[in-house]
Amino acid sequence: MNTPVSETLRRLEAQIRAQDLDRHTVLNPQVLADTTSLPVDTVLALLRGEEVPEREFNERVLARMKAFVAYHRARTQKTEAQLIGEVQVALHPISRPWARSVIRGEKVPNSKTLHELAVYFELDGHETYFTSLAVDALNRALQRILLRYEPPERDPIEALMDRFGVEAADMRMHGTPGGISSKEQLAVLLEGVFKSVIPPKGDQD
């Protein structure tokens, strides 16, 4: 199940407090709008936990294409003609008039063209960058930000070994159990073994 945007925001807020981060820097509405090609007002509403009206599919794709092209041109200082030429080459075979209509947000490309555009511009989520609902587009961007600040989950086997005071050297001495196809299975097996032969650290006194 995908993590809802409310949970992503809760975890980000927790990291902002724990690490004494500047909230506006981490959750800058304009940066998020540029990253997702969403309107700033939509980003602000979603950050406040509000629901936003979603556009019909074609309208959503065209609006996001226009927003992305405007941001990309402002960032790269490329002319429309230059960008059309790049897209025409990248999506070959495609006619210049068709490339122009795509860049201008006048026609909805098919899924293959959307995918190729997203790959060419290295957009997060590939074609879903243009097609996903606003709440999902923002959530995807927020989850990438969360990865910068939230510590990774601890390896379950490492946690078990630490809980029971077992060193990696002990495991090498006794060998690795056979027939184990995943870390999760190994963790279950190890927990049963550890419980049967070694009391947890807190019970050793």
Side-chain angles (χ1 to χ4, degrees):
M1 181 180 293
N2 293 331
T3 305
V5 67
S6 58
E7 174 62 13
T8 304
L9 278 170
R10 184 195 67 75
R11 289 162 61 183
L12 268 170
E13 295 283 6
Q15 292 303 316
I16 289 170
R17 292 191 299 271
Q19 301 184 42
D20 195 24
L21 302 170
D22 179 61
R23 187 180 188 279
H24 183 76
T25 300
V26 177
L27 300 175
N28 187 302
Q30 185 60 61
V31 172
L32 288 168
D34 292 338
T35 302
T36 58
S37 294
L38 294 172
V40 175
D41 289 347
T42 297
V43 171
L44 286 168
L46 290 170
L47 289 177
R48 291 192 296 265
E50 301 172 7
E51 292 188 6
V52 297
E54 293 289 355
R55 294 178 170 181
E56 183 269 334
F57 181 84
N58 286 355
E59 184 183 355
R60 182 163 70 239
V61 172
L62 294 179
R64 213 157 296 171
M65 182 68 69
K66 288 179 181 178
F68 169 73
V69 168
Y71 171 68
H72 182 75
R73 285 188 57 197
R75 184 170 59 86
T76 62
Q77 296 298 301
K78 291 180 180 178
T79 65
E80 182 184 67
Q82 287 175 315
L83 192 55
I84 290 171
E86 284 185 21
V87 168
Q88 186 182 6
V89 171
L91 275 59
H92 180 78
I94 184 175
S95 68
R96 190 170 182 84
W98 178 245
R100 184 186 304 113
S101 67
V102 170
I103 289 302
R104 291 180 176 177
E106 296 172 348
K107 293 183 179 179
V108 178
N110 59 32
S111 58
K112 179 177 180 292
T113 301
L114 278 178
H115 178 77
E116 291 173 347
L117 276 169
V119 170
Y120 178 72
F121 289 112
E122 299 180 343
L123 298 177
D124 190 26
H126 289 172
E127 61 270 26
T128 62
Y129 179 91
F130 299 107
T131 64
S132 57
L133 299 177
V135 65
D136 295 328
L138 180 63
N139 195 28
R140 183 167 56 239
L142 292 174
Q143 287 177 347
R144 288 183 68 86
I145 295 173
L146 182 62
L147 289 175
R148 303 178 202 163
Y149 301 106
E150 192 173 71
E153 291 185 7
R154 192 174 182 191
D155 187 295
I157 296 175
E158 179 185 335
L160 271 173
M161 291 171 67
D162 181 65
R163 178 184 171 197
F164 288 91
V166 176
E167 300 292 336
D170 297 332
M171 291 298 296
R172 288 194 294 270
M173 285 175 58
H174 297 289
T176 303
I180 302 301
S181 60
S182 69
K183 281 190 174 183
E184 289 76 13
Q185 290 176 320
L186 181 56
V188 171
L189 177 61
L190 286 176
E191 183 170 14
V193 173
F194 290 168
K195 283 182 177 179
S196 66
V197 298
I198 308 172
K201 285 181 178 179
D203 299 337
Q204 293 177 352
D205 297 334

